[in-house]
Amino acid sequence: MVMRGLLLLLTIPLAVGILFPLGALVGEAFSGTTPAGDVLGMLISRPMLRAVGNTLWVGGLTALLSTILGGILAYTMTMTKAPGRKALGLLFMVPLLAPSFMPAMGLVYLFGNYGLLFPTSLYGVPGLLAGGVLFTLPHTTLQLSLAFRTLDQRLLDAALLLGSGAARRFRTVLLPHLRDALVNALLIAFVLTVTDFGVPKLLGGNVPMLATEIYKYAIGLADFQRAALLSFWLMVPSLLAFGAYTLLSRRKEERATPQALRIEPNRGRDVFFGGLSWFIVAGMLASIGAVVLASFVKAWPYDRAWTLEAYSLTSLSYGFAPVLNSLGLAFSTAVSGVLLAWVTSVLMTRHGPSVRPVGVLFHAAALLPMAVPGTILGLGFAMSLSGWEIFSGVWGNRLLVLFNTLVHLFTVGYLTLSTSLKTLPATYEAAGLLLGRGYAYTTMRVLTPLCGRPLRETFAYFFSNALTTISALVFLYSPETITGAVAALQSLDAGYLASGAAMATIIFALNVAFRGLLIRN
């Protein structure tokens, strides 16, 4: 009874953080001041359908390109003896530590009108595709790397004994094994692309995308009804992808424990895939390195003198406050997120029968944020919760931003810890009871140390993503609570390129330093 009550207490704020914002969007979209026929006409108007079409086809093509390149990187790191493949395994994840627009900004410095390498017109579809691929590539590579590592060596040996050539082994062994991972990678890249705000804001040019159109109508034109209607269009691909992902995750296949891969050296293969992978990773690093270098330039491209002036952040009216706000949000999100995800995952996985039927409600509330894009969640929070008394004032706004970030990121942390706990046998609790120890003691002294690594990874996930998140916070911040990533994007939008690059570099450096400390410990 106590556990059920505790889980219900934790379910309520999570449900409020999802249902109230979505309800506010529905209410605004179908407000009584506009006839139903006009609402339908607005929903299928040419500007809206153009934004929908652009978002879908750019998202689809980006996902395809990102999955292909991610497959090349994953294959190189797991199936070859390419030189430096261990270094590749670390370096391809570097963009995960930067705000989503930072690689896109690097593309401007490298390939824009005054680019260091090949000056060209980058804004529009080329920039959206390139920026989207750089943003999503670490995610697809990670997904496919995990799948490659679970390939059974015995399948490859059997195919060789049957006389199958390389092409036939690829078609009959490798592709069936990678099927679900490929679909997951495509879905992840697609959803990340269509819901991202940073890349289209910086590189979209005259190509309307749903995320930027929602921002334009809500913030630029104060037309909240059109912004709410566009949010419905943005929810459609997200919900479809979420449904497909959920169906795939439920489909379980009983497989024997795979035999570890035995990789034989092949000079031609290793050199080819190693060179191709290093070229891809070098491009990822160059896009971030260009921003770091630009932060030390006085005024690109007119005055390329080296200076530290940008790091004084004098062109930003906020100064260093956004950096402190970002750190505060990151640490508070990480601490509270890990605590909430740990308690709820323990209740759900170790005491499932005793918390029913509340557990069913909580699980639904915990999974739903994965299907709601950050842009929609932020707009919904601004429409529904920002007016509450508890969220008024500076500290109230900080609490609102923290609440939004927790809801936005909660699903992954909860699933990560739940998966780890499911691998531990239930005999730990039984042994604790026989020794006269309660569930709380066993959880603290036994389960927590055994899940030390997943807890650290979950803490890092909350910290890194809260430090770099943008899409939801652009609707919620106040001048006193603006974060570094949002301030950097604002600075770039206002034309203060050096200050924006400096702020983005500071956020990136803080994330790298934190990850370095975490790995060291």
Side-chain angles (χ1 to χ4, degrees):
M1 187 68 179
V2 174
M3 293 180 183
R4 190 182 303 135
L6 177 59
L7 188 61
L8 178 61
L9 187 65
L10 296 175
T11 303
I12 292 173
L14 189 59
V16 167
I18 289 293
L19 299 180
F20 272 64
L22 293 181
L25 288 172
V26 172
E28 184 65 35
F30 299 97
S31 59
T33 59
T34 303
D38 291 346
V39 171
L40 180 61
M42 291 165 60
L43 192 62
I44 60 174
S45 63
R46 179 174 293 181
M48 284 200 179
L49 292 180
R50 184 185 176 199
V52 172
N54 290 336
T55 302
L56 291 178
W57 82 261
V58 169
L61 185 54
T62 299
L64 179 62
L65 294 173
S66 181
T67 301
I68 292 172
L69 295 179
I72 292 172
L73 285 175
Y75 178 83
T76 303
M77 292 184 292
T78 58
M79 302 286 290
T80 74
K81 291 282 188 179
R85 63 188 182 281
K86 291 184 178 179
L88 285 172
L90 292 175
L91 294 176
F92 86 88
M93 293 191 293
V94 168
L96 293 175
L97 306 179
S100 64
F101 66 85
M102 193 173 180
M105 184 183 178
L107 289 175
V108 174
Y109 284 114
L110 293 173
F111 304 105
N113 293 328
Y114 300 95
L116 289 170
L117 298 180
F118 306 109
T120 184
S121 179
L122 188 65
Y123 298 98
V125 173
L128 287 170
L129 291 175
V133 168
L134 287 175
F135 173 47
T136 59
L137 186 53
H139 299 274
T140 57
T141 303
L142 186 60
Q143 184 75 25
L144 294 172
S145 295
L146 295 173
F148 273 113
R149 290 192 174 96
T150 60
L151 181 62
D152 196 332
Q153 179 64 43
R154 290 170 294 195
L155 294 176
L156 296 176
D157 292 340
L160 279 172
L161 289 174
L162 293 172
S164 298
R168 186 176 179 83
R169 292 198 303 274
F170 177 80
R171 189 176 67 255
T172 60
V173 177
L174 201 55
L175 276 183
H177 175 79
L178 295 175
R179 179 190 56 197
D180 289 354
L182 287 169
V183 174
N184 283 340
L186 282 165
L187 291 175
I188 290 170
F190 177 75
V191 172
L192 287 174
T193 302
V194 301
T195 60
D196 180 51
F197 177 79
V199 172
K201 176 67 173 175
L202 203 60
L203 295 177
N206 294 323
V207 179
M209 300 287 282
L210 279 174
T212 50
E213 289 295 289
I214 291 171
Y215 179 81
K216 180 185 78 174
Y217 280 113
I219 303 300
L221 302 175
D223 189 343
F224 292 101
Q225 185 175 31
R226 290 185 185 273
L229 288 170
L230 280 169
S231 298
F232 284 109
W233 278 120
L234 189 58
M235 281 289 293
V236 171
S238 298
L239 287 173
L240 290 176
F242 175 73
Y245 179 82
T246 303
L247 290 175
L248 284 175
S249 63
R250 288 180 178 176
R251 186 174 65 195
K252 297 180 180 179
E253 298 180 12
E254 294 295 331
R255 295 178 179 174
T257 303
Q259 186 180 92
L261 290 173
R262 185 178 63 254
I263 309 300
E264 301 294 339
N266 184 314
R267 184 173 179 80
R269 177 203 64 195
D270 297 343
V271 170
F272 175 78
F273 281 99
L276 188 57
S277 295
W278 273 109
F279 178 79
I280 295 171
V281 171
M284 299 165 69
L285 298 179
S287 65
I288 293 177
V291 179
V292 176
L293 288 176
S295 67
F296 295 100
V297 174
K298 188 173 182 64
W300 182 271
Y302 310 105
D303 187 349
R304 302 187 184 186
W306 296 98
T307 178
L308 292 173
E309 182 181 338
Y311 284 91
S312 66
L313 302 179
T314 53
S315 61
L316 294 176
S317 58
Y318 309 110
F320 282 94
V323 177
L324 300 178
N325 290 336
S326 291
L327 285 174
L329 176 63
F331 276 113
S332 56
T333 301
V335 172
S336 53
V338 166
L339 180 61
L340 291 174
W342 178 245
V343 171
T344 52
S345 59
V346 168
L347 291 174
M348 289 292 293
T349 59
R350 314 302 289 191
H351 310 286
S354 63
V355 297
R356 292 175 183 160
V358 178
V360 177
L361 296 175
F362 172 80
H363 191 66
L367 292 183
L368 191 55
M370 185 181 288
V372 181
T375 301
I376 294 177
L377 194 63
L379 181 61
F381 262 67
M383 289 181 174
S384 61
L385 303 180
S386 60
W388 290 18
E389 183 65 26
I390 191 176
F391 298 127
S392 62
V394 175
W395 287 101
N397 187 256
R398 294 186 192 278
L399 183 60
L400 178 68
V401 169
L402 172 61
F403 184 29
N404 175 271
T405 308
L406 273 175
V407 173
H408 186 200
L409 303 177
F410 181 78
T411 304
V412 174
Y414 164 71
L415 291 178
T416 299
L417 294 179
S418 295
T419 302
S420 301
L421 283 167
K422 288 176 182 178
T423 63
L424 302 179
T427 51
Y428 288 124
E429 284 87 346
L433 290 175
L434 289 174
L435 294 172
R437 302 295 187 179
Y439 289 118
Y441 183 89
T442 304
T443 300
M444 289 297 298
R445 299 300 298 271
V446 179
L447 300 183
T448 302
L450 289 174
C451 290
R453 182 173 180 179
L455 283 167
R456 288 194 299 272
E457 291 175 350
T458 304
F459 187 94
Y461 166 79
F462 279 118
F463 182 92
S464 295
N465 283 273
L467 196 65
T468 59
T469 188
I470 297 173
S471 56
L473 301 190
V474 293
F475 299 99
L476 301 176
Y477 72 89
S478 69
E480 295 82 11
T481 62
I482 187 172
T483 60
V486 176
L489 193 59
Q490 272 195 357
S491 181
L492 296 173
D493 200 33
Y496 298 110
L497 300 185
S499 294
M503 182 65 79
T505 300
I506 291 172
I507 297 301
F508 173 67
L510 289 172
N511 227 341
V512 171
F514 171 77
R515 286 295 183 126
L517 289 174
L518 192 68
I519 293 173
R520 184 176 180 181
N521 295 327

